[in-house]
Amino acid sequence: MTGAHDAAALTAGPQALRLEDGRQLRLLSAREVLEARRESETLAKGAEERPLCANACLLARALLDGRGQPLFSAGQAVLDALTPREIGALARIWARFDRAENPGFHCGEERIDGLKKVWSTRRRTGCAGACSVPSACCPQRSGPGR
């Protein structure tokens, strides 16, 4: 293993979420999400069908059996096998898992405020204008022009 790979493994969260029934939901790459969106556009026949088709296509890529193998080959297979309620419930679980592992700009004001505080109280170099001791190479001047 390379050092970069070790660091990535240490900072990465879980890549799959095990469900109570033994199935797993895995995180998807950006490419896989785009592919799911494109596939859903071909399945949906109108605006009211888009959300269900989009969730089915996402689950076709994210839902795995207990051994980590895909359960479905495509979104159409998900639509054929699961009810709309099952598709919606699994999609909501996946969305919560994805948000927890990949927080974005919508992570919440409280978390953003915490990050701001960390950045505002971090140590700074002497060149940042926040010197805590006088520099040895520029001793303090004395006298009336000080």
Side-chain angles (χ1 to χ4, degrees):
M1 248 191 219
T2 65
H5 189 270
D6 289 338
L10 289 173
T11 59
Q15 295 301 302
L17 175 68
R18 186 166 298 278
L19 302 174
E20 290 178 4
D21 61 4
R23 296 180 295 178
Q24 300 174 48
L25 285 171
R26 71 178 184 89
L27 296 176
L28 300 177
S29 69
R31 180 188 50 79
E32 290 173 307
V33 171
L34 290 174
E35 287 173 353
R37 287 182 185 167
R38 291 177 187 136
E39 181 189 357
S40 72
E41 290 172 7
T42 64
L43 289 175
K45 301 295 184 231
E48 65 280 348
E49 295 179 6
R50 283 189 189 118
L52 182 61
C53 290
N55 286 337
C57 294
L58 181 116
L59 290 174
R61 288 156 178 79
L63 193 58
L64 308 173
D65 66 16
R67 297 181 320 264
Q69 299 302 310
L71 283 171
F72 300 102
S73 60
Q76 183 65 53
V78 175
L79 291 170
D80 291 340
L82 302 178
T83 67
R85 182 170 281 164
E86 290 172 316
I87 293 170
L90 288 168
R92 282 188 296 279
I93 292 168
W94 183 88
R96 282 193 301 270
F97 176 51
D98 182 59
R99 273 193 305 275
E101 295 303 316
N102 300 307
F105 295 114
H106 60 284
C107 65
E109 192 172 329
E110 185 176 308
R111 178 151 184 223
I112 290 171
D113 287 343
L115 292 171
K116 285 180 188 177
K117 183 174 182 176
V118 168
W119 277 98
S120 68
T121 59
R122 73 189 191 284
R123 285 188 170 205
R124 298 178 182 187
T125 66
C127 298
C131 297
S132 59
V133 294
S135 174
C137 64
C138 299
Q140 209 171 17
R141 289 178 34 193
S142 60
R146 181 176 121 135

